[in-house]
Amino acid sequence: MRGWNFSAGPAAIPQEVIKEVQEELLEYNGSGASIIEIGHRTDIYSQVAEESKNDLIEILNIPNSHEVLFLQGGATHQFSMIPLNFRNMGNNADYVVSGTWSKKAADEASKLIDVNISASSENMSFSVFPKCSDWDISKHSSYVHYCPNETIQGIAMHEIPKIDKPLMADMTSVILSQPLDVSKFDLIYAGAQKNIGPAGLTIVIISKELMEKGDSSLPKILRYSEHSKANSMLNTPPTFSWYFAGKVFKWIKRSGGLDHFEALNKKKAENLYDFIDSTDFYVNNLQKSQRSLMNVTFNLKNDDLNSSFLDESKANSLLNLKGHALVGGMRASIYNAMPEEGVTQLIQFMSEFESKYG
Ligand SMILES: *Cc1c(COP(=O)(O)O)cnc(C)c1O
């Protein structure tokens, strides 16, 4: 039986989408073969790929000034692809370090480009998100990179920074959770396995103007503009994940689009944080305005109860609530695919657990 899956990633996918894929997995649409057995340059697959891209453009309202790429290598590959492409545009690059993922991005970039840490909350164990007005942006930097939703710490920046530089964002754990003004960014990237679909696919949304400025001496596979020219089929793309993501995009559309998910996601997060705040048994010390709506981290006041909490939640079909090893405690990831009912069940369990042990 499927449980309520709070995994941070690979994360829950809507059951109705998995069923749809299951139903057509043996033979796709009169092709006589499975979608995973068809050449990526066939008419039938090209149509799937294009529709998936167009649906994403529609959902996110991506302006014509931006290209959408379906790549591989995960968000982690973007940590190096970004500096490789754009290090020629300035003397260095600005990185805001607000949690584990943005720190990794900065560390990887520093092997390729001079990195200026514009702001960092590392010495406060990432318990606050550095305020945009305090970011120290270098005069001659190529770009500014930040991560608006730190998946591991559960801390987020909800406003879009106003920066007079190419702005790049790791949106792996927050993309498609709400409407987004894509025009404010020069590059957005996201590994698919949090809020888009199966692992293996990385979405990059990039300003076409910027893309053309990328270092032309790089091998093709590392250049955004080459991927764009080849319609994201420079080599064999992750065909199954691309197709699958298309199914999720259709599900988002028929569910009411990103306005619907924004309202739903706010409600789910609010319910859970309100409950956590209502008791001393569970703790989340982050400022309310900086709490992630996707990854709700919390601790049990009494750490000794952690393993009982995990065992008993699992026995109640509430899965994968263990926090990241770096921070400990608990984490409930509640991306689009988590229905309100799952959060209600979690709160009920937490309340009962407290009554039993509190
Ligand atoms: C999960 C995650 C990553 C890592 O993604 P991969 O696709 O595994 O490389 C990077 N950044 C953020 C914000 C994430 O949540």
Side-chain angles (χ1 to χ4, degrees), residues 17 25 34 59 73 88 110 112 129 152 158 160 170 174 181 186 211 247 258 261 314 329 352:
V17 177
L25 191 58
S34 171
I59 294 168
N88 289 349
S110 70
L112 299 163
F129 205 108
I152 291 173
H158 296 292
I160 297 177
D170 177 357
V174 71
D181 185 351
D186 292 84
M211 187 168 73
K247 295 280 181 202
L258 297 188
F261 283 103
K314 192 173 167 200
E352 284 164 13

PDB file of all heavy atoms in Angstrom, residues 17 25 34 59 73 88 110 112 129 152 158 160 170 174 181 186 211 247 258 261 314 329 352:
ATOM      1  N   VAL A  17      -0.915  10.321 -11.747  1.00  0.00           N
ATOM      2  CA  VAL A  17       0.062  10.430 -12.831  1.00  0.00           C
ATOM      3  C   VAL A  17       0.825   9.115 -12.984  1.00  0.00           C
ATOM      4  O   VAL A  17       1.032   8.623 -14.105  1.00  0.00           O
ATOM      5  CB  VAL A  17       1.038  11.603 -12.578  1.00  0.00           C
ATOM      6  CG1 VAL A  17       2.096  11.661 -13.664  1.00  0.00           C
ATOM      7  CG2 VAL A  17       0.277  12.925 -12.502  1.00  0.00           C
ATOM      8  N   LEU A  25       2.480   2.203 -20.290  1.00  0.00           N
ATOM      9  CA  LEU A  25       3.916   1.904 -20.312  1.00  0.00           C
ATOM     10  C   LEU A  25       4.293   0.793 -21.296  1.00  0.00           C
ATOM     11  O   LEU A  25       5.340   0.832 -21.925  1.00  0.00           O
ATOM     12  CB  LEU A  25       4.414   1.548 -18.903  1.00  0.00           C
ATOM     13  CG  LEU A  25       5.935   1.476 -18.738  1.00  0.00           C
ATOM     14  CD1 LEU A  25       6.596   2.801 -19.109  1.00  0.00           C
ATOM     15  CD2 LEU A  25       6.317   1.103 -17.314  1.00  0.00           C
ATOM     16  N   SER A  34       7.058   0.607 -26.101  1.00  0.00           N
ATOM     17  CA  SER A  34       6.955   1.470 -24.917  1.00  0.00           C
ATOM     18  C   SER A  34       7.622   2.812 -25.214  1.00  0.00           C
ATOM     19  O   SER A  34       8.558   2.890 -26.017  1.00  0.00           O
ATOM     20  CB  SER A  34       7.651   0.801 -23.728  1.00  0.00           C
ATOM     21  OG  SER A  34       7.735   1.712 -22.654  1.00  0.00           O
ATOM     22  N   ILE A  59       2.555  26.809 -18.079  1.00  0.00           N
ATOM     23  CA  ILE A  59       2.319  26.806 -16.618  1.00  0.00           C
ATOM     24  C   ILE A  59       3.074  27.951 -15.943  1.00  0.00           C
ATOM     25  O   ILE A  59       2.539  28.658 -15.091  1.00  0.00           O
ATOM     26  CB  ILE A  59       2.804  25.483 -15.993  1.00  0.00           C
ATOM     27  CG1 ILE A  59       1.996  24.302 -16.464  1.00  0.00           C
ATOM     28  CG2 ILE A  59       2.741  25.556 -14.473  1.00  0.00           C
ATOM     29  CD1 ILE A  59       2.655  22.982 -16.095  1.00  0.00           C
ATOM     30  N   GLY A  73      22.371  15.476 -15.467  1.00  0.00           N
ATOM     31  CA  GLY A  73      23.447  15.832 -14.528  1.00  0.00           C
ATOM     32  C   GLY A  73      22.951  16.403 -13.214  1.00  0.00           C
ATOM     33  O   GLY A  73      23.742  16.648 -12.311  1.00  0.00           O
ATOM     34  N   ASN A  88      33.645  34.258 -18.190  1.00  0.00           N
ATOM     35  CA  ASN A  88      34.300  35.276 -19.042  1.00  0.00           C
ATOM     36  C   ASN A  88      33.627  36.647 -18.961  1.00  0.00           C
ATOM     37  O   ASN A  88      34.170  37.630 -19.454  1.00  0.00           O
ATOM     38  CB  ASN A  88      34.284  34.827 -20.504  1.00  0.00           C
ATOM     39  CG  ASN A  88      35.219  33.676 -20.734  1.00  0.00           C
ATOM     40  OD1 ASN A  88      36.023  33.341 -19.860  1.00  0.00           O
ATOM     41  ND2 ASN A  88      35.110  33.050 -21.894  1.00  0.00           N
ATOM     42  N   SER A 110      33.961  27.843  -7.025  1.00  0.00           N
ATOM     43  CA  SER A 110      35.259  28.424  -6.674  1.00  0.00           C
ATOM     44  C   SER A 110      36.422  27.669  -7.306  1.00  0.00           C
ATOM     45  O   SER A 110      37.534  28.159  -7.352  1.00  0.00           O
ATOM     46  CB  SER A 110      35.420  28.502  -5.155  1.00  0.00           C
ATOM     47  OG  SER A 110      35.556  27.201  -4.640  1.00  0.00           O
ATOM     48  N   LEU A 112      36.413  27.088 -10.391  1.00  0.00           N
ATOM     49  CA  LEU A 112      36.402  27.529 -11.789  1.00  0.00           C
ATOM     50  C   LEU A 112      36.456  29.035 -11.948  1.00  0.00           C
ATOM     51  O   LEU A 112      36.778  29.543 -13.018  1.00  0.00           O
ATOM     52  CB  LEU A 112      35.110  27.023 -12.465  1.00  0.00           C
ATOM     53  CG  LEU A 112      34.954  25.498 -12.503  1.00  0.00           C
ATOM     54  CD1 LEU A 112      33.507  25.117 -12.783  1.00  0.00           C
ATOM     55  CD2 LEU A 112      35.871  24.919 -13.569  1.00  0.00           C
ATOM     56  N   PHE A 129      18.092  33.657   6.889  1.00  0.00           N
ATOM     57  CA  PHE A 129      18.453  33.849   5.478  1.00  0.00           C
ATOM     58  C   PHE A 129      19.033  35.261   5.353  1.00  0.00           C
ATOM     59  O   PHE A 129      18.386  36.228   5.767  1.00  0.00           O
ATOM     60  CB  PHE A 129      17.212  33.716   4.591  1.00  0.00           C
ATOM     61  CG  PHE A 129      17.551  33.309   3.171  1.00  0.00           C
ATOM     62  CD1 PHE A 129      17.247  32.033   2.719  1.00  0.00           C
ATOM     63  CD2 PHE A 129      18.184  34.191   2.306  1.00  0.00           C
ATOM     64  CE1 PHE A 129      17.558  31.649   1.416  1.00  0.00           C
ATOM     65  CE2 PHE A 129      18.501  33.806   1.011  1.00  0.00           C
ATOM     66  CZ  PHE A 129      18.191  32.537   0.560  1.00  0.00           C
ATOM     67  N   ILE A 152      17.525  21.469   2.834  1.00  0.00           N
ATOM     68  CA  ILE A 152      18.007  20.741   4.016  1.00  0.00           C
ATOM     69  C   ILE A 152      17.663  21.496   5.303  1.00  0.00           C
ATOM     70  O   ILE A 152      17.189  20.910   6.271  1.00  0.00           O
ATOM     71  CB  ILE A 152      19.517  20.467   3.877  1.00  0.00           C
ATOM     72  CG1 ILE A 152      19.727  19.441   2.750  1.00  0.00           C
ATOM     73  CG2 ILE A 152      20.128  19.984   5.202  1.00  0.00           C
ATOM     74  CD1 ILE A 152      21.165  19.174   2.379  1.00  0.00           C
ATOM     75  N   HIS A 158      11.475  34.459   0.336  1.00  0.00           N
ATOM     76  CA  HIS A 158      10.239  34.473  -0.450  1.00  0.00           C
ATOM     77  C   HIS A 158      10.152  35.631  -1.427  1.00  0.00           C
ATOM     78  O   HIS A 158       9.346  35.610  -2.348  1.00  0.00           O
ATOM     79  CB  HIS A 158       9.029  34.449   0.481  1.00  0.00           C
ATOM     80  CG  HIS A 158       8.942  33.181   1.286  1.00  0.00           C
ATOM     81  ND1 HIS A 158       8.681  31.957   0.718  1.00  0.00           N
ATOM     82  CD2 HIS A 158       9.116  32.933   2.604  1.00  0.00           C
ATOM     83  CE1 HIS A 158       8.682  31.020   1.649  1.00  0.00           C
ATOM     84  NE2 HIS A 158       8.950  31.586   2.807  1.00  0.00           N
ATOM     85  N   ILE A 160      11.791  38.087  -4.409  1.00  0.00           N
ATOM     86  CA  ILE A 160      12.818  38.000  -5.458  1.00  0.00           C
ATOM     87  C   ILE A 160      13.787  39.163  -5.260  1.00  0.00           C
ATOM     88  O   ILE A 160      13.359  40.316  -5.168  1.00  0.00           O
ATOM     89  CB  ILE A 160      12.182  38.076  -6.856  1.00  0.00           C
ATOM     90  CG1 ILE A 160      11.250  36.880  -7.064  1.00  0.00           C
ATOM     91  CG2 ILE A 160      13.267  38.108  -7.932  1.00  0.00           C
ATOM     92  CD1 ILE A 160      10.510  36.898  -8.381  1.00  0.00           C
ATOM     93  N   ASP A 170      19.070  28.487  -7.908  1.00  0.00           N
ATOM     94  CA  ASP A 170      18.827  27.054  -7.771  1.00  0.00           C
ATOM     95  C   ASP A 170      17.432  26.891  -7.174  1.00  0.00           C
ATOM     96  O   ASP A 170      17.229  27.096  -5.985  1.00  0.00           O
ATOM     97  CB  ASP A 170      19.893  26.439  -6.858  1.00  0.00           C
ATOM     98  CG  ASP A 170      19.651  24.953  -6.604  1.00  0.00           C
ATOM     99  OD1 ASP A 170      18.634  24.411  -7.089  1.00  0.00           O
ATOM    100  OD2 ASP A 170      20.498  24.336  -5.912  1.00  0.00           O
ATOM    101  N   VAL A 174      11.722  24.330  -5.122  1.00  0.00           N
ATOM    102  CA  VAL A 174      10.610  25.285  -4.997  1.00  0.00           C
ATOM    103  C   VAL A 174       9.928  25.583  -6.338  1.00  0.00           C
ATOM    104  O   VAL A 174       8.801  26.082  -6.376  1.00  0.00           O
ATOM    105  CB  VAL A 174      11.111  26.589  -4.312  1.00  0.00           C
ATOM    106  CG1 VAL A 174      12.010  27.391  -5.235  1.00  0.00           C
ATOM    107  CG2 VAL A 174       9.969  27.436  -3.791  1.00  0.00           C
ATOM    108  N   ASP A 181       7.707  35.124 -11.512  1.00  0.00           N
ATOM    109  CA  ASP A 181       8.027  36.072 -12.579  1.00  0.00           C
ATOM    110  C   ASP A 181       9.399  35.721 -13.149  1.00  0.00           C
ATOM    111  O   ASP A 181      10.434  36.198 -12.690  1.00  0.00           O
ATOM    112  CB  ASP A 181       8.024  37.503 -12.023  1.00  0.00           C
ATOM    113  CG  ASP A 181       8.234  38.532 -13.123  1.00  0.00           C
ATOM    114  OD1 ASP A 181       8.561  38.130 -14.274  1.00  0.00           O
ATOM    115  OD2 ASP A 181       8.074  39.736 -12.846  1.00  0.00           O
ATOM    116  N   ASP A 186      17.867  35.490 -14.861  1.00  0.00           N
ATOM    117  CA  ASP A 186      18.596  35.187 -16.090  1.00  0.00           C
ATOM    118  C   ASP A 186      18.800  33.691 -16.249  1.00  0.00           C
ATOM    119  O   ASP A 186      18.942  33.195 -17.364  1.00  0.00           O
ATOM    120  CB  ASP A 186      19.927  35.923 -16.107  1.00  0.00           C
ATOM    121  CG  ASP A 186      19.686  37.415 -16.233  1.00  0.00           C
ATOM    122  OD1 ASP A 186      19.446  38.068 -15.201  1.00  0.00           O
ATOM    123  OD2 ASP A 186      19.664  37.916 -17.376  1.00  0.00           O
ATOM    124  N   MET A 211      22.482  33.472 -22.739  1.00  0.00           N
ATOM    125  CA  MET A 211      22.931  32.173 -23.255  1.00  0.00           C
ATOM    126  C   MET A 211      23.970  32.344 -24.363  1.00  0.00           C
ATOM    127  O   MET A 211      24.973  31.634 -24.412  1.00  0.00           O
ATOM    128  CB  MET A 211      21.704  31.438 -23.794  1.00  0.00           C
ATOM    129  CG  MET A 211      21.926  30.030 -24.227  1.00  0.00           C
ATOM    130  SD  MET A 211      20.336  29.230 -24.498  1.00  0.00           S
ATOM    131  CE  MET A 211      19.809  29.995 -26.030  1.00  0.00           C
ATOM    132  N   LYS A 247       3.719  14.570 -18.146  1.00  0.00           N
ATOM    133  CA  LYS A 247       2.477  14.106 -17.501  1.00  0.00           C
ATOM    134  C   LYS A 247       2.188  14.930 -16.241  1.00  0.00           C
ATOM    135  O   LYS A 247       1.036  15.246 -15.935  1.00  0.00           O
ATOM    136  CB  LYS A 247       2.611  12.630 -17.103  1.00  0.00           C
ATOM    137  CG  LYS A 247       2.757  11.679 -18.260  1.00  0.00           C
ATOM    138  CD  LYS A 247       1.406  11.381 -18.879  1.00  0.00           C
ATOM    139  CE  LYS A 247       1.532  10.397 -20.030  1.00  0.00           C
ATOM    140  NZ  LYS A 247       0.389  10.489 -20.958  1.00  0.00           N
ATOM    141  N   LEU A 258      -0.586  27.026 -11.283  1.00  0.00           N
ATOM    142  CA  LEU A 258       0.254  27.373 -10.134  1.00  0.00           C
ATOM    143  C   LEU A 258      -0.476  28.219  -9.096  1.00  0.00           C
ATOM    144  O   LEU A 258      -0.101  28.205  -7.925  1.00  0.00           O
ATOM    145  CB  LEU A 258       1.528  28.070 -10.611  1.00  0.00           C
ATOM    146  CG  LEU A 258       2.433  27.198 -11.505  1.00  0.00           C
ATOM    147  CD1 LEU A 258       3.753  27.900 -11.775  1.00  0.00           C
ATOM    148  CD2 LEU A 258       2.679  25.823 -10.904  1.00  0.00           C
ATOM    149  N   PHE A 261      -1.829  25.682  -6.785  1.00  0.00           N
ATOM    150  CA  PHE A 261      -0.822  25.058  -5.919  1.00  0.00           C
ATOM    151  C   PHE A 261      -0.269  26.042  -4.895  1.00  0.00           C
ATOM    152  O   PHE A 261       0.073  25.663  -3.781  1.00  0.00           O
ATOM    153  CB  PHE A 261       0.277  24.388  -6.747  1.00  0.00           C
ATOM    154  CG  PHE A 261      -0.193  23.083  -7.314  1.00  0.00           C
ATOM    155  CD1 PHE A 261      -0.562  22.968  -8.649  1.00  0.00           C
ATOM    156  CD2 PHE A 261      -0.348  21.978  -6.490  1.00  0.00           C
ATOM    157  CE1 PHE A 261      -1.047  21.779  -9.152  1.00  0.00           C
ATOM    158  CE2 PHE A 261      -0.837  20.779  -6.989  1.00  0.00           C
ATOM    159  CZ  PHE A 261      -1.184  20.679  -8.318  1.00  0.00           C
ATOM    160  N   LYS A 314       6.186   5.788  10.675  1.00  0.00           N
ATOM    161  CA  LYS A 314       6.233   4.841   9.557  1.00  0.00           C
ATOM    162  C   LYS A 314       5.131   3.796   9.686  1.00  0.00           C
ATOM    163  O   LYS A 314       4.474   3.448   8.694  1.00  0.00           O
ATOM    164  CB  LYS A 314       7.602   4.165   9.519  1.00  0.00           C
ATOM    165  CG  LYS A 314       7.854   3.394   8.247  1.00  0.00           C
ATOM    166  CD  LYS A 314       9.284   2.886   8.160  1.00  0.00           C
ATOM    167  CE  LYS A 314       9.395   1.856   7.040  1.00  0.00           C
ATOM    168  NZ  LYS A 314      10.564   0.993   7.194  1.00  0.00           N
ATOM    169  N   GLY A 329      17.093  15.850  13.433  1.00  0.00           N
ATOM    170  CA  GLY A 329      15.684  16.185  13.610  1.00  0.00           C
ATOM    171  C   GLY A 329      14.817  15.604  12.509  1.00  0.00           C
ATOM    172  O   GLY A 329      15.154  14.596  11.900  1.00  0.00           O
ATOM    173  N   GLU A 352      -1.001  12.893  18.570  1.00  0.00           N
ATOM    174  CA  GLU A 352      -1.149  11.658  19.349  1.00  0.00           C
ATOM    175  C   GLU A 352       0.176  11.224  19.968  1.00  0.00           C
ATOM    176  O   GLU A 352       0.218  10.770  21.114  1.00  0.00           O
ATOM    177  CB  GLU A 352      -1.706  10.537  18.455  1.00  0.00           C
ATOM    178  CG  GLU A 352      -3.199  10.701  18.191  1.00  0.00           C
ATOM    179  CD  GLU A 352      -3.694   9.851  17.023  1.00  0.00           C
ATOM    180  OE1 GLU A 352      -2.958   8.948  16.557  1.00  0.00           O
ATOM    181  OE2 GLU A 352      -4.819  10.107  16.555  1.00  0.00           O
TER     182      GLU A 352
END
